[in-house]
Amino acid sequence: MATDEFKLISRYFAANAGDRADVILGIGDDCAFLKMQENQQLAVSMDNLVENVHFFAAAPPYYIGYKALAVSLSDMAAVGAEPAWVTAALTLTNAAAHGEKWIDEFCRGFFAQFACYDLQLVGGNTTRGSEINIATQLHGFLPQQQGLRRSGARVGDIICVTGSLGDAGMALQLVQKKLLAAVPSQITEDLWERLYCPPSRIDMGRALLSLASAAIDISDGLLADLGHILEQSGGVGATLEIDKLPLSPWLLECSGTDIASAQRLALGAGDDYELCFTVPTHLAEQVEILAREYKCSVTQIGVIDATPGLRIKQKNGALFAPTQQGYLHKW
Ligand code: ADP
Ligand code: MG
């Protein structure tokens, strides 16, 4: 079925956009007009997902849509912001826009979390191109003078992570194996979900505003992302205890007896979108209380110290050498 950008916009995007009182003018004009609340700062984050870089072209479009919003929500969580307004710039291929089944499913995933956070899609851009590229921008609110940053970690702070690490890395390995198999076996929904539907940490991020000294979301792998905290906190260092890394029962089951490979995934693989944050020791108990209140597991995995660099200690005291530092786009 032939379609054009305006049919797609009205049928799939304007129709599902949401309805917030602070949107003065939404989709349909040259700009959106948005009303800020007094005493709030605007937190803005943008991400794009590129076909065959951030997602497999063969992935079910529901999961691609879900991830397109989830990566931006994760950035909001990392600074402790309350998300509100969304813009989206889509480059769609013929295959994605024609027939419209793809875009229908994509939207089902993209809008899946809108009601949960009272989000509104207020504008965007839709173009045709040779590969799919989805850019999502999220605007959220932060109380004046507040906001978690990467730069506040101090020597003596404890290092914590939410949830479990390495699941997305394992799912990626399994999906890759199955896609490459001579006779591709079916990839289960469960596997796509582990790869493309990270848990949202928005509530936890907001609750950490008054406790954490620094925070980041783990998109490229724990070592890489914690490395950003260390660097931006004036070159402090960190010592992690490898046995404390939170590994899910599923990851352990997939890894069999090879726990070291599960630990490597937890340290170096990306796409988990959990939070990594630092807290002064005297607030550690407060974090535990929050974790219980928000039903979000939090694990203390190490401490910030004065010696620059990152050390990973094993139970016997020996240092663990990771093989992968994290994901980096290179040209
Ligand atoms: P302009 O040419 O002025 O940039 P467009 O004709 O591209 O505007 O878009 C028309 C309207 O539809 C604008 O309000 C734009 O923000 C909105 N829009 C375009 N694509 C999308 C999309 N994928 N999702 C939400 N709104 C969109
Ligand atoms: Mg215009």
Side-chain angles (χ1 to χ4, degrees):
M1 183 180 38
T3 193
D4 63 46
E5 59 179 299
F6 297 110
K7 284 185 195 152
L8 289 179
I9 294 165
S10 77
R11 179 154 175 206
Y12 294 100
F13 295 98
N16 293 306
D19 183 21
R20 289 178 59 97
D22 53 12
V23 176
I24 301 163
L25 184 63
I27 293 175
D29 217 303
D30 292 311
C31 286
F33 300 170
L34 307 167
K35 187 169 168 50
M36 280 295 293
Q37 296 165 46
E38 271 173 46
N39 305 321
Q40 298 279 326
Q41 328 171 57
L42 188 63
V44 181
S45 140
M46 178 156 207
D47 265 296
N48 70 331
L49 298 188
V50 179
E51 178 175 341
N52 290 327
V53 177
H54 300 98
F55 61 87
F56 295 109
Y62 172 87
Y63 295 108
I64 300 170
Y66 194 100
K67 183 170 178 181
L69 186 75
V71 295
S72 294
L73 281 174
S74 174
D75 284 327
M76 288 280 137
V79 300
E82 174 194 348
W85 305 315
V86 183
T87 52
L90 311 181
T91 301
L92 299 176
T93 56
N94 278 344
H98 276 245
E100 299 186 28
K101 175 127 186 57
W102 192 95
I103 195 143
D104 202 18
E105 275 296 294
F106 170 87
C107 283
R108 210 167 59 76
F110 185 76
F111 287 107
Q113 296 186 89
F114 266 58
C116 182
Y117 297 107
D118 188 21
L119 304 179
Q120 183 164 344
L121 182 65
V122 298
N125 195 44
T126 307
T127 59
R128 192 176 132 174
S130 54
E131 59 183 2
I132 299 174
N133 187 328
I134 302 141
T136 310
Q137 191 170 31
L138 204 45
H139 307 72
F141 308 132
L142 271 172
Q144 294 285 4
Q145 320 291 339
Q146 289 191 45
L148 301 173
R149 303 175 186 214
R150 299 175 176 185
S151 56
R154 298 286 169 265
V155 173
D157 288 355
I158 57 170
I159 303 166
C160 299
V161 291
T162 57
S164 57
L165 300 178
D167 284 23
M170 175 57 83
L172 176 65
Q173 283 186 357
L174 296 175
V175 168
Q176 267 167 336
K177 249 187 229 161
K178 290 181 186 224
L179 284 173
L180 290 175
V183 183
S185 44
Q186 179 133 35
I187 302 169
T188 59
E189 298 277 306
D190 173 59
L191 218 46
W192 289 123
E193 203 162 298
R194 282 180 204 278
L195 188 53
Y196 291 136
C197 305
S200 166
R201 301 301 183 202
I202 290 288
D203 294 344
M204 195 62 195
R206 292 181 68 191
L208 285 171
L209 269 181
S210 54
L211 295 181
S213 49
I216 192 166
D217 64 319
I218 306 175
S219 52
D220 295 330
L222 174 66
L223 295 184
D225 290 316
L226 175 57
H228 294 310
I229 288 189
L230 302 181
E231 207 176 290
Q232 294 187 34
S233 296
V236 292
T239 304
L240 302 182
E241 288 179 57
I242 195 144
D243 292 323
K244 294 211 172 148
L245 291 173
L247 309 176
S248 74
W250 177 79
L251 177 59
L252 288 171
E253 194 187 313
C254 293
S255 313
T257 50
D258 191 2
I259 291 186
S261 83
Q263 289 167 329
R264 282 202 182 87
L265 287 174
L267 290 168
D271 285 332
D272 283 318
Y273 297 98
E274 294 290 353
L275 298 182
C276 173
F277 58 94
T278 59
V279 183
T281 355
H282 71 277
L283 295 174
E285 209 171 301
Q286 297 280 96
V287 172
E288 279 175 31
I289 294 170
L290 278 187
R292 277 197 297 276
E293 190 180 334
Y294 289 96
K295 296 188 176 55
C296 167
S297 74
V298 171
T299 312
Q300 184 181 330
I301 57 167
V303 289
I304 297 289
D305 42 38
T307 316
L310 231 158
R311 291 152 294 282
I312 307 158
K313 260 188 359 204
Q314 304 183 67
K315 229 188 199 133
N316 61 9
L319 290 182
F320 181 90
T323 44
Q324 191 185 348
Q325 290 291 337
Y327 192 79
L328 194 63
H329 295 271
K330 288 186 189 149
W331 284 265

